[in-house]
Amino acid sequence: MAVINIHQIQRIELEMLRETDAILRKNGIRFYMCCGSVLGTVRHGGPIPWDTDMDLLIPADQLNRARDCLEKELSPRFCIDDLQKNKKYKNLFPRVALPHTSSDTLHIDLFPLMGLPDDADEQLRICRQLAKRQKTFIFYKHMRENLAHPNAWKNCIGKMIEVFCSPFSKQQLTRQYWKIIERYPYASARCVMNACGHYGAKNIFDKEVFGEPEQRPYCGLPVPLPQ
């Protein structure tokens, strides 16, 4: 198996981004750079030097169409990796990846930007529902597909929860997750969040924070950042 270094990974991901950016813009799909990819764009004009993946946010009501457009229009060099194509896939969101290669390291994450209700208590309840499914049902159910957790107590809890979850398929768990994401339409929401974020209520923003995408150069390629 060939081994590539971080600079080679980042060069491949830049080519992925060029194709992804062109396809999403062509099809009128709004998206934003997010997470470390925003920081890299602003601070470095490209990837953070030690970062090995890229992150995009797409409004949840456009993500399925974005996924289908990318599936059809990406060049043979790249592909979509998700549960529709890969039964061993472990994430709730799709990725742009390399064909016939694990997407665990080299990928672009396509995160759903979901709508939320105005009520703060309901927002927190949704955060808890998402966290429960994301961190418990998804992580622990597939613990045996990963390295065992180094903490013996968490390992024991994980295996008990794995047994409890065993009647449910990944597809069922993902459908449950998406029912929560689609409960409040993004288009009419005033508050939004990255449904796959890890920061709970800190992940909630007024939608106007994202606003009209602001174009900034990323290795010479204009990319959309939250306004």
Side-chain angles (χ1 to χ4, degrees):
M1 179 185 296
V3 177
I4 61 176
N5 61 40
I6 190 169
H7 303 294
Q8 292 169 314
I9 289 173
Q10 290 174 343
R11 283 198 294 271
I12 294 169
E13 287 176 347
L14 178 58
E15 292 306 309
M16 279 185 181
L17 178 63
R18 289 186 190 280
E19 286 200 23
T20 300
D21 176 272
I23 291 167
L24 296 180
R25 290 180 192 269
K26 171 188 168 186
N27 288 280
I29 296 168
R30 172 163 291 193
F31 67 102
Y32 303 92
M33 303 287 274
C34 69
C35 307
S37 296
V38 169
L39 180 59
T41 304
V42 173
R43 192 169 69 186
H44 303 280
I48 296 173
W50 51 89
D51 203 2
T52 59
D53 73 339
M54 300 186 72
D55 309 293
L56 302 184
L57 266 177
I58 299 175
D61 58 2
Q62 299 183 52
L63 185 55
N64 284 334
R65 188 164 73 89
R67 183 240 179 252
D68 292 343
C69 290
L70 290 165
E71 175 74 12
K72 293 174 184 175
E73 299 180 33
L74 283 168
S75 71
R77 293 181 61 201
F78 307 123
C79 69
I80 289 291
D81 194 16
D82 64 4
L83 270 177
Q84 291 186 43
K85 297 185 63 180
N86 178 4
K87 292 182 179 179
K88 295 184 178 180
Y89 192 69
K90 305 181 186 75
N91 298 294
L92 291 157
F93 50 86
R95 284 173 166 168
V96 182
L98 294 176
H100 315 300
T101 303
S102 170
S103 64
D104 286 349
T105 300
L106 202 164
H107 58 259
I108 299 177
D109 287 327
L110 306 176
F111 294 127
L113 184 62
M114 67 178 286
L116 291 169
D118 294 339
D119 182 75
D121 290 337
E122 179 66 9
Q123 291 175 358
L124 293 177
R125 192 172 74 86
I126 289 171
C127 286
R128 289 193 291 268
Q129 288 177 339
L130 291 171
K132 177 181 178 181
R133 285 157 179 81
Q134 185 178 22
K135 295 178 181 178
T136 304
F137 284 90
I138 301 301
F139 175 77
Y140 285 125
K141 176 178 167 58
H142 306 300
M143 181 179 283
R144 287 176 187 169
E145 297 176 11
N146 302 288
L147 295 174
H149 199 287
N151 183 300
W153 175 240
K154 287 186 178 181
N155 196 319
C156 180
I157 293 174
K159 288 178 179 175
M160 287 190 291
I161 295 175
E162 182 182 38
V163 171
F164 174 75
C165 294
S166 60
F168 303 98
S169 68
K170 291 182 184 180
Q171 287 78 6
Q172 286 174 306
L173 294 170
T174 303
R175 282 196 294 272
Q176 291 177 5
Y177 199 79
W178 273 91
K179 281 184 180 179
I180 300 171
I181 292 173
E182 294 171 344
R183 191 176 300 162
Y184 295 94
Y186 173 85
S188 58
R190 292 194 297 177
C191 296
V192 296
M193 68 179 289
N194 176 356
C196 298
H198 299 290
Y199 301 103
K202 293 180 181 180
N203 202 36
I204 298 172
F205 294 93
D206 290 339
K207 190 162 67 174
E208 64 183 14
V209 168
F210 290 89
E212 192 66 28
E214 178 181 331
Q215 304 299 315
R216 293 282 193 96
Y218 184 99
C219 296
L221 174 69
V223 295
L225 271 59
Q227 191 175 47

